[in-house]
Amino acid sequence: GDGSCPPAWPVEIREVPGRGRSVFANCDVGAYETLFEEEPFYTRIPPAELHGRKEWDKEWTAAFNRIRADLRAPGAGEAFGELPVKPLLASTGMVRDVLGFVTIPDSVKGALMGFSYPPLDLDHALVEVALQLAQLCKDRLPECKDADVRLLQAAILVTEMNIFPGGRIFWTMSRINHSCAPNCVFSSAPGRWGLKSIRPIKRGEELSISYLGEEMR
């Protein structure tokens, strides 16, 4: 009755209206405590697996370098006036998103697609870049020739939106939302990954991390 954690999973995943699923504390947590550790259920293929493929020819390079979309700050042209527009480009990490997705078992594909990602018709640079790259992969990579372009686009988005350092996606930690004033931090050590509090957390409080900072080692 005091809110302290029983010997059970100290967090729960809930639906948050308008934001998908997020993670909440099941009990009161002190500062600098390890809430839990978990292993990734999916790890993106490493960069070395892209080396030496015959598909990386001049035509691929030219098409890849043409992929771009204008990245605009939220509210640009409204509250803040006209702000500089920067191009968002494709990355080799996104190619690994696609190749990793098409080669994993259907059960893992289904698990990945249960995570949050933006609508495929959203007017946003990342969504557009993902679509352009998905089409290029379908046209040029043998693993992707039978795949639906929209599924490949979704695979890029869901991976980019939920991935942790090292190319890992976790069943629980990857559902934690960003905050500029987070109450938790991702921690890692060789072969171990977890979540630590950085201030006291009350039972029922949503957990958050900063997507911009370094993880705790």
Side-chain angles (χ1 to χ4, degrees):
D2 62 357
S4 60
C5 281
W9 200 235
V11 300
E12 65 176 336
I13 299 170
R14 297 187 212 154
E15 290 286 343
V16 179
R19 294 197 291 127
R21 294 179 179 178
S22 191
V23 183
F24 294 80
N26 259 343
C27 54
D28 294 342
V29 179
Y32 310 112
E33 292 186 12
T34 297
L35 281 84
F36 62 88
E37 293 183 346
E38 67 175 330
E39 294 186 358
F41 75 89
Y42 171 74
T43 302
R44 184 168 64 183
I45 63 174
E49 293 198 20
L50 298 186
H51 294 169
R53 290 186 58 133
K54 62 182 179 61
E55 292 85 7
W56 312 145
D57 55 18
K58 291 182 179 179
E59 290 183 5
W60 168 277
T61 300
F64 182 83
N65 289 338
R66 284 195 297 269
I67 295 174
R68 63 184 58 217
D70 289 341
L71 184 61
R72 294 181 171 86
E78 299 170 6
F80 301 102
E82 292 299 326
L83 297 176
V85 175
K86 296 183 178 180
L88 180 67
L89 309 178
S91 69
T92 56
M94 293 178 184
V95 179
R96 290 188 284 132
D97 295 342
V98 173
L99 288 173
F101 184 82
V102 298
T103 55
I104 56 178
D106 286 346
S107 59
V108 182
K109 287 188 178 82
L112 273 176
M113 298 313 297
F115 282 75
S116 297
Y117 59 94
L120 301 186
D121 59 355
L122 182 70
D123 183 15
H124 190 279
L126 179 60
V127 176
E128 175 59 29
V129 165
L131 178 59
Q132 294 179 41
L133 182 58
Q135 186 64 62
L136 177 62
C137 290
K138 179 177 175 63
D139 292 343
R140 297 297 306 273
L141 303 182
E143 298 95 329
C144 302
K145 63 183 178 64
D146 296 325
D148 181 87
V149 169
R150 291 291 183 173
L151 182 60
L152 297 181
Q153 179 193 19
I156 295 170
L157 294 172
V158 77
T159 306
E160 292 297 314
M161 297 295 292
N162 295 285
I163 205 161
F164 270 67
R168 301 176 179 92
I169 296 182
F170 300 87
W171 187 253
T172 300
M173 283 193 288
S174 291
R175 300 184 190 276
I176 297 173
N177 284 315
H178 164 79
S179 172
C180 293
N183 53 24
C184 293
V185 65
F186 174 64
S187 65
S188 68
R192 297 180 66 180
W193 307 273
L195 189 75
K196 290 186 177 181
S197 61
I198 56 177
R199 64 164 175 79
I201 300 171
K202 293 294 186 181
R203 181 178 184 178
E205 186 176 348
E206 183 176 359
L207 305 183
S208 60
I209 59 176
S210 171
Y211 293 172
L212 307 177
E214 294 292 327
E215 73 268 27
M216 182 181 292
R217 298 186 183 275

